[in-house]
Amino acid sequence: MRFDIFGKALRVLMPALCAALLLPACAAKETAEAPPGMGVTVNLRDVHRCSRISPEITVDQAPKGTDYFDVHLVEYTGDSQELLLGGGTWDSDGSGTIPEGGLTRHYRGPCPPSGQARDFAFVVAAMHRGSMQPLAVRLHRFTQE
C-alpha cells in the first residue's frame, strides 16, 4: 500500500519537478542576447540568376583562425525539401570578400520556374583546416522570383 501511494505521488510530482528545473534555463535563454559575430552580405544581381557565376559575398567579423569559407546555395522547395545548388570553398585572405565567380563546385544560381517565387539561402561557414567543425555559420536568406 505504501508503494501505491508513493507511485501515485511520484506520477503527480515528477512533471512539476521537471518543469521547475527547466523553467529557469528557458528564462535565461530568452533574455540572453545573441553575441555579436560573423555577418554575411550577398551582392546578388540579375546576371547571377540561372547562372554558373556566383555573386560577390562579403563576410564581416569572421572568427579568429578562419582559414577558408565553405559556401553552399540551398533552395527551399514547397514540400519541405532542401535542394543543394552547389557552392564552393574560398581561402580567407583576411579581407572577408569572396569575389564574383569564386564559387566553382557545381554552382548553379537561383533559378525558380517562371512566375513562381522560391526561397533560397547562402550558407556560409568559417572553417579552420585543423578541424571539421565550423567556427561560425551564417545564412543569407532571400526570395527569388
Side-chain angles (χ1 to χ4, degrees), residues 49-68:
R49 180 185 173 90
C50 303
S51 172
R52 298 237 179 249
I53 301 169
S54 62
E56 180 181 271
I57 300 172
T58 304
V59 181
D60 297 319
Q61 299 180 9
K64 285 186 178 181
T66 299
D67 292 325
Y68 66 99

Side-chain angles (χ1 to χ4, degrees), residues 77-137:
T77 64
D79 55 355
S80 300
Q81 299 262 343
E82 296 177 5
L83 300 175
L84 177 64
L85 299 177
T89 59
W90 189 261
D91 286 337
S92 176
D93 61 0
S95 72
T97 301
I98 302 169
E100 184 175 59
L103 304 179
T104 58
R105 190 171 52 213
H106 307 290
Y107 178 83
R108 181 176 62 92
C111 194
S114 180
Q116 294 183 16
R118 293 281 172 90
D119 294 323
F120 297 89
F122 280 97
V123 182
V124 181
M127 303 294 292
H128 178 64
R129 282 191 173 52
S131 172
M132 292 187 70
Q133 184 72 25
L135 300 172
V137 178

